[in-house]
Amino acid sequence: MGTATLTIDLDAIVANWRALDGRTDASTETAAVVKADAYGLGIARVASALRDAGARKFFVAVAEEGAALRQALGPEAEIMVFSGHMAGDTDLIRGLGLVPMLNSIEQITRHVETLPGARFGLQLDTGMNRLGIEPDEWAAIRDIVLPRGPVLVMSHLACADDRDDARNARQLRTFREMTDGISAPRSLAATGGILLGPGFHFDLTRPGIGLYGGRPFADARPVLRLSLPVIQCRDVASGEIVGYGGSFEASAPTRIATLSAGYADGLIRAMGGEAVVFHGAVPCPLAGRVSMDLLTVDIGHLDTDPSHLDILGRHQGVDDLADSAGTIGYEILTSLGPRYVRNYAGI
Ligand SMILES: *Cc1c(COP(=O)(O)O)cnc(C)c1O
């Protein structure tokens, strides 16, 4: 088979959700963030597994993402939309029964005028300056919107992946100043915020990356194996080059395996030169540049020609690969392309 296989361990995702749920008190509900097709892993399968494990609230980035999710989960699950109620979203929000996290006075107005009585949440800006209602606007409107019964009042931390960053405490203080005493449920923490401790947990947490095995949840169970088929192997002599631009030049005779996956599959070009793939537990370095559909690997130290080599698995997670490409695990995950066969099983 010419395509690479991405194996996604749903049991590991469920175990990670349970482990993060276990970091908070029983009074704090743990939701699941499944935006961007569950970080590239397949929203229908991932969300169904989490629903079966007890997750009841799911977050997506935009209303369109709610369609596949509603189909997978049926009418019961609560689907919340971070981008709120944007122009043109009204029919989707009504039709799919979505709960928009309203981000501005403009969105609040749009929501109550077009869907009077429909459920909503509110997103406050506590310092990240990306989405949400600013403190001075909030002071002006809170007594008008709170009586309409938002189902959630939330904000998002900018620096929660670094537990020593003083801005976490500053955002927490601002969130408390803006929301202490309200009766609506509150939410501040994503994966990083859960790990910052109980003061950040409030009524609901919103983990994403930790479910999928990424930093900063260091205790996560690995979720992925990405196994790339070898198309061809060849000997190269000392002084021969490999790949575009000849950036690899053999300093001694060796053997090169050519694998079926490249930057069009999310194995971004920036990882050339640094990254390794694995034959069992044995690392094999990339040799030369990443092509659109192909990778070349130095296998001179292996005894036999392999049929497959793993670029993600027990020996190399998304963050390890991200480090070798100068990016973050989130970007590696969400770049995993549509050409992979997605296989849902243990890794
Ligand atoms: C993406 C996102 C999350 C999940 O963040 P992770 O770091 O992946 O856990 C939570 N809340 C908001 C507002 C987000 O945009």
Side-chain angles (χ1 to χ4, degrees), residues 33 35 39 82 123 130 154 156 190-191 206-210 330:
V33 178
K35 63 195 182 189
Y39 291 44
F82 286 137
Q123 182 159 193
R130 188 179 69 166
M154 60 165 281
H156 194 48
T191 303
R206 314 182 307 268
I209 193 72
Y330 297 75

Side-chain angles (χ1 to χ4, degrees), residues 247-248 268-278 283-290 295-297 311 316 319-327:
S247 65
F248 177 91
I268 59 176
R269 214 166 153 273
M271 65 181 59
E274 292 284 330
V276 296
V277 297
F278 280 86
C284 306
L286 294 200
R289 289 195 188 144
V290 177
L295 291 178
T296 38
V297 175
I311 193 160
Q316 181 164 260
D319 291 304
D320 303 318
L321 197 57
D323 287 345
S324 55
T327 181

Side-chain angles (χ1 to χ4, degrees), residues 130 168 175 194 256 269 302:
R130 188 179 69 166
N168 295 321
F175 188 60
I194 293 171
I256 298 293
R269 214 166 153 273
L302 299 185

Side-chain angles (χ1 to χ4, degrees), residues 233-236 242 248 250 252-258 277 279 282-287 296-306 309:
C233 299
R234 80 187 64 247
D235 291 325
V236 297
V242 176
F248 177 91
T254 191
R255 193 159 173 81
I256 298 293
T258 301
V277 297
H279 179 246
V282 182
C284 306
L286 294 200
T296 38
V297 175
D298 190 337
I299 56 161
H301 55 306
L302 299 185
D303 299 336
T304 53
D305 288 347
L309 292 166

Side-chain angles (χ1 to χ4, degrees), residues 119-256:
R119 283 146 33 93
F120 67 95
L122 295 167
Q123 182 159 193
L124 307 180
D125 178 42
T126 52
M128 188 175 186
N129 286 304
R130 188 179 69 166
L131 275 181
I133 300 158
E134 297 275 329
D136 56 339
E137 293 175 316
W138 178 238
I141 62 161
R142 52 177 283 161
D143 292 341
I144 304 165
V145 274
L146 285 174
R148 291 178 181 268
V151 301
L152 189 69
V153 176
M154 60 165 281
S155 187
H156 194 48
L157 298 167
C159 308
D161 56 343
D162 177 3
R163 55 178 309 115
D164 297 327
D165 196 307
R167 288 168 292 193
N168 295 321
R170 206 178 307 158
Q171 279 196 264
L172 175 60
R173 201 178 327 120
T174 304
F175 188 60
R176 296 203 72 120
E177 284 164 7
M178 292 172 83
T179 63
D180 271 355
I182 70 172
S183 56
R186 295 186 284 176
S187 176
L188 181 60
T191 303
I194 293 171
L195 304 175
L196 293 178
F200 289 81
H201 294 166
F202 295 92
D203 301 296
L204 180 95
T205 62
R206 314 182 307 268
I209 193 72
L211 308 177
Y212 311 110
R215 283 205 288 257
F217 186 31
D219 300 334
R221 246 171 77 176
V223 166
L224 291 183
R225 179 172 174 198
L226 178 53
S227 197
L228 310 179
V230 175
I231 306 173
Q232 190 182 15
C233 299
R234 80 187 64 247
D235 291 325
V236 297
S238 184
E240 283 197 288
I241 61 148
V242 176
Y244 285 122
S247 65
F248 177 91
E249 187 176 321
S251 55
T254 191
R255 193 159 173 81
I256 298 293

